[in-house]
Each structure stands twice: as structure tokens, then as C-alpha cells.
């Protein structure tokens, strides 16, 4: 696996790849890699001639400084995992390499997607995401880029950015990878204490029950039911639960048969914030 730390070096290498008419698949990550990341990387490897993974803990998308400082960093293990799946290229730049001395975000208009869910609770988060994804796309110029449905709002926002800025890259959404007990894999899971880790699978259990209830009940009733379950929970704190339409991400009031819906959730396990979502059947 080739490892590059500078834009100049990776661009020079990828230019030679493009001259050979080879396709480039790209998976941006913040490191602390797990099987969820690897599922995206394996897909990219299968579908492209060359796969590039980036590891960059992007400061501008963190609204909480403590979360940024405590974000897990496991470079040696990440490198081993990437080599174990035969990843071709790792891009591992410094903050200075990406931002120079100006660590700030561009302002984006994502047609309102940025004001829903995570946007309400993480001020400036999606401007940070847009800034880094656009910058990385300009460096790597991939044919295809792979994003997890774990961060479904992010996936929709990246698709919107590509469309609005007419970027020449196909965005591929990939399913959520879970632990055996149902907890969505996340780099932040390693920071959970034993008690919170044991409690966290409750989130997916509730999502599955909500999906079942949505078959017979309206969205408001399902939402109230979920809120009640978390009020009763001894240690997990619900930040939000909402049922939204997949494209607009707007919370729904009335089900329509031609729309796709998803339930989205954010939960605090102590000071660790966990998110998850589930596709709902449209009855
Ligand atoms: P992150 O390193 O958390 O920024 O994630 C990098 C990419 O991996 C994003 O597109 C995430 O949505 C995706 N990802 C993270 N966790 C999972 C998971 N459990 N299943 C599928 N994709 C994931």
C-alpha cells in the first residue's frame, strides 16, 4: 500500500493512474477503522482499479472540541487493516496540509437538508463536512466515492453537493454494518464504558420495534412511544428521534405510499453521542 501525506505527492501518483485510464474508488474516513469502514473499502476495491482511503480527523466538522480531542486515533492498526484488504493507497494528510493556517469552513446551501436532524444539534457540522469532502474530491478526483448509510444525512448532503457543484463523481451509499448485538459500528464505540457499551444495543432494538409499529401506527404515535422508552431507560439519554422522508429529510406528518421513509435517532451514552437509523416499510 502506498501512503501519501501531501496533496502534491498523491496527485502526481493519481495522474499517472488516470493516464492509464484506470478507475479510482475513494473512501474518506476519520480513521479508527472498523468492519463498517472495511465494508465500504472492500466494495470500492471490487468495483475500481485503484482504491484510495483517506484518514483525516476533520476539525471543522466537530462542533464539540472535547469530541475532537478525544476522537480515537489508531493509525498503526488502521494501516494493518487496510493492508489486510489490499487497499492500494492511503492518504493521511496533516491539518496544515489541508487547511494551511485557515481552519475554517466554506458555507454551503444544501437546499435545507442541512437544517434537519444533525443540523439542529451540531452547529456548522455540515459546512465542515462539505468543505472537507469537496477538498478531498478535488485532490483525489475519484470516479466513485463510497459513504455509509450510518451517516444517512451526510450521504444525502454529499449527493446534493455533487449535484449542485456538478462534480464528476458517483456517490455510492453502503448499508450499515452492525455488531452482533445490533449496535451500529462506530469509531466512538471504543470510548464507551462497560455499562454504556452493554446498554447501547437498546438503540437498535427500539429502532426495530419502531419500524414494526410504523406498520400500524402514525409517525407521531411511534415518536411518542420511542420517547417514552428512553425516558424509562436508566442511563441512555435520547437527543432526538424522528421519522423523515429519505430525500428531503423532513419529519413526516402523514404517510404517503410513493415515498421512502427512515427513522433517525441520536442518543447520549454518557458524553458519547451515538447515531443510528433504519429504513421503514411503507405500508
Ligand atoms: P467516519 O470515519 O466515521 O467519518 O466514517 C467514514 C465512512 O464510513 C462514512 O461514510 C461513514 O458513514 C462510514 N461508516 C461508519 N460507520 C459505518 C458502519 N457501521 N456501517 C457502514 N458504514 C459506516
Amino acid at each position: 500500500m502506498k501512503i501519501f501525506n501531501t496533496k502534491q505527492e498523491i496527485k502526481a501518483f493519481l495522474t499517472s493512474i488516470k493516464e492509464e485510464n484506470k478507475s479510482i474508488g475513494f473512501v474518506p474516513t476519520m480513521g479508527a477503522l472498523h468492519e463498517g469502514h472495511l465494508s465500504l473499502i472492500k466494495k470500492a476495491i471490487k468495483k475500481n482499479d485503484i482504491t484510495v482511503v483517506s484518514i483525516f480527523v476533520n476539525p471543522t466538522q466537530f462542533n464539540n472540541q472535547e469530541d475532537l480531542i478525544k476522537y480515537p486515533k489508531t493509525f498503526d492498526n488502521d494501516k494493518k487493516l487496510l493492508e489486510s484488504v489490499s487497499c492500494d493507497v492511503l492518504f493521511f494528510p496533516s491539518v496544515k496540509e489541508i487547511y494551511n493556517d485557515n481552519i475554517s469552513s466554506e458555507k454551503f446551501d444544501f437546499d435545507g437538508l442541512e437544517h434537519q436532524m444533525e443540523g439542529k444539534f451540531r452547529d456548522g457540522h455540515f459546512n465542515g463536512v462539505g468543505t472537507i469532502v469537496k477538498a478531498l474530491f478535488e485532490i483525489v478526483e475519484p470516479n466513485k466515492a463510497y459513504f455509509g448509510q450510518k451517516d444517512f444525512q451526510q450521504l444525502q448532503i454529499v449527493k446534493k453537493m455533487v449535484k449542485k457543484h456538478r462534480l464528476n463523481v458517483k456517490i455510492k451509499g453502503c448499508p450499515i454494518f452492525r455488531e452482533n448485538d445490533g449496535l451500529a459500528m462506530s469509531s466512538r464505540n471504543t470510548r464507551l464504558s462497560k455499562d454504556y457499551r452493554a446498554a447501547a444495543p437498546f438503540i437498535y432494538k427500539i429502532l426495530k420495534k419502531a419500524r414494526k409499529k410504523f406498520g400500524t401506527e402514525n409517525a407521531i404515535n411511534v415518536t411518542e412511544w420511542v420517547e417514552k422508552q428512553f425516558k424509562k431507560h436508566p442511563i441512555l439519554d435520547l437527543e432526538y428521534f424522528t421519522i423523515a422522508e429519505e430525500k428531503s429529510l423532513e419529519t413526516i406528518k402523514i404517510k404517503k405510499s410513493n415515498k421512502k421513509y427512515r427513522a433517525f435517532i441520536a442518543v447520549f451514552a454518557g458524553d458519547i453521542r451515538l447515531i443510528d437509523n433504519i429504513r421503514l416499510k411503507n405500508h
Side-chain angles (χ1 to χ4, degrees):
M1 181 172 69
K2 291 194 182 311
I3 302 178
F4 298 108
N5 301 109
T6 68
K7 295 184 253 187
Q8 204 186 358
E9 284 169 318
I10 190 168
K11 275 184 167 188
F13 174 75
L14 292 175
T15 302
S16 67
I17 294 294
K18 278 168 205 150
E19 279 166 4
E20 294 168 29
N21 258 332
K22 287 184 175 160
S23 62
I24 298 172
F26 179 43
V27 185
T29 81
M30 298 205 295
L33 301 181
H34 50 66
E35 282 293 325
H37 294 115
L38 291 186
S39 68
L40 273 58
I41 296 164
K42 284 179 194 163
K43 197 169 269 178
I45 289 171
K46 216 167 153 186
K47 300 279 181 185
N48 299 275
D49 296 319
I50 291 282
T51 292
V52 178
V53 172
S54 63
I55 294 180
F56 182 67
V57 182
N58 175 36
T60 63
Q61 74 187 67
F62 283 79
N63 53 313
N64 175 336
Q65 281 310 296
E66 198 181 321
D67 191 26
L68 170 61
I69 292 160
K70 291 192 175 163
Y71 200 84
K73 289 167 194 80
T74 58
F75 183 75
D76 291 341
N77 194 52
D78 291 351
K79 198 172 140 228
K80 267 190 218 141
L81 285 177
L82 291 172
E83 279 165 346
S84 76
V85 295
S86 305
C87 174
D88 303 292
V89 176
L90 168 59
F91 183 44
F92 183 53
S94 65
V95 172
K96 195 168 170 67
E97 180 67 17
I98 296 293
Y99 285 103
N100 234 316
D101 290 322
N102 181 20
I103 304 178
S104 65
S105 299
E106 253 181 77
K107 300 270 175 292
F108 289 88
D109 174 2
F110 298 119
D111 293 344
L113 293 180
E114 69 275 32
H115 302 312
Q116 306 296 337
M117 302 180 301
E118 293 294 282
K120 290 183 187 156
F121 295 93
R122 302 191 66 187
D123 196 28
H125 172 65
F126 289 118
N127 280 328
V129 169
T131 302
I132 188 59
V133 172
K134 191 157 154 274
L136 291 170
F137 281 177
E138 279 162 9
I139 297 165
V140 177
E141 293 184 40
N143 300 85
K144 294 185 185 130
Y146 297 79
F147 290 83
Q149 291 175 344
K150 158 89 186 349
D151 303 281
F152 193 84
Q153 188 171 10
Q154 168 176 280
L155 168 65
Q156 298 299 62
I157 277 180
V158 171
K159 283 185 182 166
K160 177 71 79 180
M161 182 179 76
V162 164
K163 205 168 168 195
K164 287 191 103 166
H165 292 255
R166 296 203 180 89
L167 305 179
N168 193 13
V169 50
K170 278 210 171 69
I171 304 302
K172 301 284 180 187
C174 305
I176 302 173
F177 219 83
R178 298 181 180 281
E179 301 286 355
N180 287 336
D181 58 16
L183 177 63
M185 286 193 184
S186 164
S187 305
R188 289 182 177 89
N189 291 353
T190 58
R191 291 186 52 217
L192 294 169
S193 70
K194 218 170 144 223
D195 287 349
Y196 282 117
R197 176 62 190 83
F202 183 74
I203 300 167
Y204 185 52
K205 271 194 202 123
I206 290 291
L207 282 183
K208 282 194 294 187
K209 284 191 184 162
R211 177 175 61 184
K212 200 160 175 225
K213 277 189 180 291
F214 190 66
T216 53
E217 290 181 43
N218 68 36
I220 295 173
N221 285 356
V222 177
T223 304
E224 282 174 3
W225 178 82
V226 170
E227 287 168 355
K228 216 156 121 193
Q229 305 317 302
F230 276 92
K231 275 203 188 103
K232 286 192 277 185
H233 196 283
I235 58 172
L236 296 177
D237 287 317
L238 180 67
E239 185 171 51
Y240 68 79
F241 171 87
T242 187
I243 294 177
E245 195 265 320
E246 280 196 354
K247 269 229 162 97
S248 67
L249 300 180
E250 280 170 15
T251 298
I252 67 154
K253 294 193 177 75
I254 297 164
K255 283 184 224 177
K256 292 196 183 121
S257 59
N258 58 344
K259 301 275 186 193
K260 290 180 179 162
Y261 300 119
R262 241 169 222 270
F264 296 88
I265 196 163
V267 171
F268 275 101
D271 56 355
I272 314 293
R273 189 171 179 278
L274 301 172
I275 59 168
D276 202 346
N277 67 82
I278 195 166
R279 176 84 184 269
L280 299 174
K281 285 190 208 115
N282 202 346
H283 296 265

